[in-house]
Every structure is written in C-alpha cells, then in structure tokens.
C-alpha cells in the first residue's frame, strides 16, 4: 500500500493549523501586523481562522487514529491479500489467500469514494466462497476486492498481470525470478494512450 498520502495530508493540515492559530492569536493580542488578509482583518476573520485551526486539529486526530493498510502479494500458487484496519484504539486484521485454481474470474470494479460520489478503481477476484473472517466491507460471499487505488502500482498493469497468471499457468514461474518486479512496471504513457484509444474504438 502507498503510505505517502496520509503523512502528506497530516503535514498540510498541521501547517494550516499553525497558520490559522497564529493569525487568530496575533489579531486578538494586537501584536503588530496581522497575518490576516486585508479584507479579512476583522474580528470575524480572526474567529474564522481560529475555527479552521480547530477543524484541522480534529482532522489530524481522525487521520492519525484511522488507518487501513492493505498488502497484496502475488505468489506462484495464488494471490494473498492482507488488510489491517485501525479505528481509534481497535485493530482488526483479515488475511485471505486464493489459489489460482480457486479464482473463477478476475473482473474490473469500483468502490465509492470516502468523501463523495467519486468512484475508485478496484480489481475483483471471484471465488466459490469468502469466509466472514477474511472479508472487508467491500467483499461479498463470492468476491474479494483489491482496492487498486491504494496500491503503489498502475491499476491496469496489475490487472493485466493477474489475468495473465490466471489464464496462463506456464507463465507463473515468472513470479519467482529476481526481476519479477518488472512485471508491475507499466508501459510508456504514449503506449497506454494508444491502447486506450484502440479499446475505445473497438467498443
């Protein structure tokens, strides 16, 4: 899982908190030049900045205490997904392993965004049955969802690799090679644009 977004978000919120609190305190104490814009250099503007600082602190605590770590491991024998969900002071771990011969199909899906109607790309692995202990909120009785948008790999490249290894058993030995990471390196951007245009034309 990519672990860059949350620290960057917390850092940005912390910077906003410091500025908002400093601007509000500076205005109320009347100590020299205000940090507020000229049009906002009022009591209401200072109060607004203080409110923004408080909201930023709440969001920092929220992101610090809510964390979902997802790891997807591709083996010669199958695919493993490990999810660790931390909500406040409670931690839940789910681990699922699907052998290639138990995956009936690999499809394209999406999941709802956390803060709006936007959809995020997902890869669906269909199987006979998924036990409750191995499920996440996006899984079903017969489907395990890989949240592709949180993984540090181009989603279409991961999808193509999974389908290749699923459909061509003789190619699974590629996973054991020292340069196996190259299998997850996406093609050049121009080549991807051409493939997207060709796919759109074919439809």
């Amino acid at each position: 899982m990519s672990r860059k977004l949350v620290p960057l978000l917390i850092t940005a919120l912390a910077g906003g908190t410091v500025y908002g609190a400093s601007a509000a305190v500076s205005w109320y104490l009347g100590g020299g030049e205000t940090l507020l814009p000229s049009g906002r250099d009022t009591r209401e503007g200072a109060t607004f900045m203080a409110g923004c600082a408080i909201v930023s602190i709440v969001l920092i605590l929220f992101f610090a205490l809510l964390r979902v770590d997802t790891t997807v491991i591709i083996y010669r024998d199958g695919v493993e997904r490990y999810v660790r969900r931390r909500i406040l002071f409670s931690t839940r771990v789910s681990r699922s392993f699907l052998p290639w011969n138990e995956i009936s199909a690999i499809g394209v899906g999406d999941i709802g965004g956390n803060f709006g109607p936007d959809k995020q790309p997902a890869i669906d692995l269909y199987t006979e049955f998924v036990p409750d202990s191995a499920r996440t909120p996006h899984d079903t009785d017969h489907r395990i969802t890989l949240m592709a948008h949180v993984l540090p790999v181009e989603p279409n490249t991961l999808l193509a690799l999974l389908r290749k290894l699923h459909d061509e058993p003789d190619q699974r030995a590629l996973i054991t090679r020292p340069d196996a990471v190259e299998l997850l390196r996406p093609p050049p951007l121009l080549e991807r644009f051409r493939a997207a245009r060709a796919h759109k034309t074919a439809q």
Side-chain angles (χ1 to χ4, degrees), residues 34-198:
T34 178
L35 297 175
L36 297 170
S38 57
R40 296 282 185 177
D41 189 8
T42 62
R43 177 179 295 275
E44 290 75 14
T47 303
F48 175 77
M49 293 302 292
C52 289
I54 294 173
V55 171
S56 295
I57 291 173
V58 172
L59 289 175
I60 288 173
L61 293 175
F62 174 78
F63 286 117
L65 296 176
L66 175 64
R67 186 173 181 85
V68 180
D69 289 326
T70 301
T71 302
V72 176
I73 307 175
I74 304 174
Y75 294 102
R76 184 172 183 172
D77 298 328
V79 181
E80 181 182 44
R81 186 196 63 186
Y82 173 83
V83 180
R84 184 175 182 269
R85 301 170 61 86
R86 187 182 70 192
I87 302 176
L88 298 180
F89 303 103
S90 173
T91 301
R92 179 181 177 184
V93 174
S94 65
R95 186 187 301 271
S96 55
F97 177 80
L98 290 180
W100 293 114
N101 59 0
E102 293 184 11
I103 300 176
S104 59
I106 299 177
V108 178
D110 56 54
I111 59 176
N114 292 328
F115 303 104
D118 295 339
K119 299 294 185 179
Q120 302 288 358
I123 298 173
D124 295 328
L125 307 180
Y126 293 90
T127 187
E128 184 175 350
F129 179 71
V130 181
D132 290 340
S133 60
R135 294 184 201 174
T136 69
H138 305 294
D139 298 335
T140 67
D141 290 347
H142 308 288
R143 185 194 71 214
I144 282 181
T145 297
L146 307 181
M147 297 182 292
H149 68 287
V150 303
L151 302 175
V153 62
E154 200 277 320
N156 290 313
T157 303
L158 176 60
L159 174 65
L161 177 60
L162 290 173
R163 283 178 168 172
K164 178 182 179 68
L165 298 178
H166 178 257
D167 297 338
E168 304 176 30
D170 58 317
Q171 297 294 312
R172 294 171 190 168
L174 295 173
I175 292 296
T176 63
R177 293 171 46 174
D179 61 345
V181 68
E182 295 298 322
L183 298 172
L184 290 171
R185 190 178 302 280
L189 188 59
L190 184 59
E191 185 177 332
R192 279 183 273 164
F193 283 151
R194 289 173 180 169
R197 284 198 299 269

